[in-house]
């Protein structure tokens, strides 16, 4: 079963991102949004990038830009319309907030 993980909190303030990484399945997808975009600057991102493919890690472009966060090349930039499409391609959605 595939799960879409919506990470809305920063790992600098909560352990939601670490918990998400710990239960991540091979067919799961992560979307960083809202303050979850700050996780692009957290050391946990390196751990995650060593275990997932580029297609599994996404960030809402407008949310990262609003927080003046540069998006790395190994992270997919998506808009809200792509997020909606992802909800239809996964069996369940978990929001980390």
């Amino acid at each position: 079963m595939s799960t879409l993980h919506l990470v809305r909190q920063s790992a600098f303030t909560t352990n939601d991102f670490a918990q998400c990484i710990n239960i991540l399945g091979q067919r799961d997808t992560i979307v960083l949004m809202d303050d979850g975009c700050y996780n692009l600057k957290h050391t946990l991102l390196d751990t995650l990038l060593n275990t997932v493919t580029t297609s599994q890690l996404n960030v809402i472009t407008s949310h990262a830009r609003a927080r003046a966060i540069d998006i790395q090349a190994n992270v997919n930039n998506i808009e809200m319309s792509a997020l909606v499409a992802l909800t239809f391609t996964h069996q369940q959605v978990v929001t980390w907030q």
Side-chain angles (χ1 to χ4, degrees):
M1 180 183 316
S2 64
T3 302
L4 176 61
H5 298 270
L6 306 178
V7 179
R8 299 185 67 203
Q9 295 292 324
S10 167
F12 293 105
T13 58
T14 70
N15 66 347
D16 291 352
F17 190 45
Q19 290 177 345
C20 174
I21 292 170
N22 285 335
I23 67 164
L24 195 65
Q26 289 181 344
R27 298 182 349 171
D28 292 358
T29 300
I30 294 177
V31 176
L32 302 175
M33 57 192 308
D34 300 327
D35 285 349
C37 295
Y38 289 115
N39 295 323
L40 292 172
K41 299 296 183 185
H42 198 277
T43 56
L44 283 172
L45 185 68
D46 293 332
T47 302
L48 179 62
L49 290 173
N50 289 329
T51 60
V52 300
T53 64
T54 302
S55 64
Q56 288 178 280
L57 182 58
N58 304 277
V59 62
I60 303 291
T61 307
S62 58
H63 291 198
R65 284 187 187 147
R67 289 160 179 81
I69 297 172
D70 294 326
I71 301 171
Q72 301 173 4
N74 49 1
V75 177
N76 290 323
N77 296 300
I78 64 171
E79 296 302 329
M80 291 303 283
S81 58
L83 175 61
V84 172
L86 284 171
T87 63
F88 289 107
T89 61
H90 291 77
Q91 281 88 16
Q92 62 183 1
V93 179
V94 176
T95 302
W96 298 89
Q97 59 181 4

